[in-house]
Amino acid sequence: MRTLVRTLTPAVALLLLTGCTDGGAGVHGKPGSAGVRDPLFRGLGNGGYDVQHYALTLAYDPDTNHLKGTAEITARATQDLSAFNLDLHGLTVDGATVDGKEAAANRAGDELTLRPHRDIDKGKTFRTVVRYSGEPETIVDDDEDKSKEGWLQTESGALAVGEPSGSMAWFPSNNHPSDKATYDITVTVPKELQAISNGELTKRTPTAGRTTYAWKSKQPMASYLATLAIGDFKTTPSRTSSGVPVLTVVDRAVGTKRAHLIAQVPEIVEWGEEYFGRYPFSSAGVIVVPKDDVGYALETQTKPVIPVDVLPETLVHEIAHQWFGNSVTPKSWKDMWLNEGFAVYAEWIWKADSEEKSAQESFDEEFDNEDNWAFPPADPPSAAKVSDEPVYGRGAMVLHKIRQAVGEDAFFEIVKGWATDHRHSNASTADFTAYVEKKSGKDLTELWDTWLYGKDKPDSP
Ligand SMILES: [Zn+2]
């Protein structure tokens, strides 16, 4: 049976959905909200349910940029639901079911609203299947650099990168960091190409002219950290001395450029374990792409995407994110300084360890960088500013001020403890400041007021 797919304005969609539904079982659920009230990204995420697992089955043809997908989403209702939303950008929904029965599907902007055959009771686990197809799009961010995310076509195939919103360009999801889930990502590509994704490869199946790659992420992942690289790659497995399997994936167009740096991935993971505690995922790695494929590096889970021209400290930064951002994930995008402050501070520690520059020298440099004083790190004024300097450089300065206030030993215990105690969960800025004060036994109100929330540059560092 054909599923009704229409494009409606949000107001019309809302009108259609707010009426009492027939429900079938006599349950009077309400529609889940079309966002999770993220202070910066209003439309991202959806209310009324919590996703446990995504199983994505995809087929991609680089010649036509055609993607065909099935997303099986296992979620638990957090309210009685008459309808709920998923975030999906572009593409065509070919059909949807909830618990095996056809669900009505409506599109309005990046919102896909599904109305199940009968209401879903609060607390119930339900399974949604969305079949979709089309040409996935690149999303151009509203920031100064006009960064590109979502689906990028590359010389040899395609690359999917999703911070902050781009995952909705290739699969429907609850597209907000507050709802993490495990993933199975299975991708069929022409036989001369490979498909690389997060986690571990569980199966590689050649069929007529094509190959299917099945990847499993056993630990929870935020949607913005899901990645897919389709192309011609050289893959090299190795292992850290602590036993973490490592897979380096290098686009063949890159050749042996930066081979020495790329070979350092296991060593950088081991270095991270010393400072941040046990590595949080069941594998590590990197995806190295030509510099024209994407204009930035991204900490995609287990395998950060790195353009080949990056500096060693950028590789350190993206690997540090595996603890800070990927394992301990912000509750909202406003807390992004918790990702970037820690990742930049990891660069400072790395540089100090390699006797390039002390952390104090890195701090002093950032203090003199006027771009850091545009706004407080814990309060980016808009979505367009979320990747600006204060979130990064001044975020790291906050950590350095904590180090000065609590002393070396307590500081490094806090860093390790924060990553360990919040492993695979979500945390906010308020959770962090409370944690630091509890662990150090110090009232740090003045430090937070000046460095984390203060609008003005202090007179002296
Ligand atoms: Zn970063």
Side-chain angles (χ1 to χ4, degrees), residues 216-266:
K216 183 177 271 301
S217 289
K218 287 184 231 165
Q219 295 84 29
M221 175 164 76
S223 56
Y224 77 94
L225 296 166
T227 192
L228 180 57
I230 294 168
D232 184 11
F233 303 109
K234 178 174 167 35
T235 58
T236 311
S238 62
R239 199 170 275 271
T240 66
S241 58
S242 54
V244 178
V246 176
L247 188 68
T248 58
V249 177
V250 181
D251 191 300
R252 287 200 190 271
V254 164
T256 55
K257 213 174 159 195
R258 308 309 292 272
H260 177 69
L261 174 63
I262 296 160
Q264 279 181 292
V265 170

Side-chain angles (χ1 to χ4, degrees), residues 267-318:
E267 195 183 306
I268 297 170
V269 171
E270 288 160 21
W271 173 86
E273 289 191 304
E274 242 173 75
Y275 286 101
F276 317 137
R278 184 166 61 83
Y279 179 76
F281 303 110
S282 45
S283 65
V286 69
I287 299 170
V288 183
V289 297
K291 77 173 167 52
D292 294 336
D293 279 5
V294 59
Y296 52 87
L298 189 64
E299 67 265 28
T300 43
Q301 196 146 303
T302 69
K303 290 182 200 73
V305 170
I306 310 271
V308 68
D309 58 329
V310 300
L311 302 164
E313 55 261 36
T314 305
L315 184 57
V316 171
H317 176 114
E318 306 308 339

Side-chain angles (χ1 to χ4, degrees), residues 4 31 42 71 74 83 100 131-132 139 158 169 182 211 263 327 343 409 427-428:
L4 180 67
R42 294 268 161 197
T74 308
R131 289 181 293 111
Y132 58 99
I139 295 173
T182 51
T211 313
S327 168
D409 292 352
S428 67

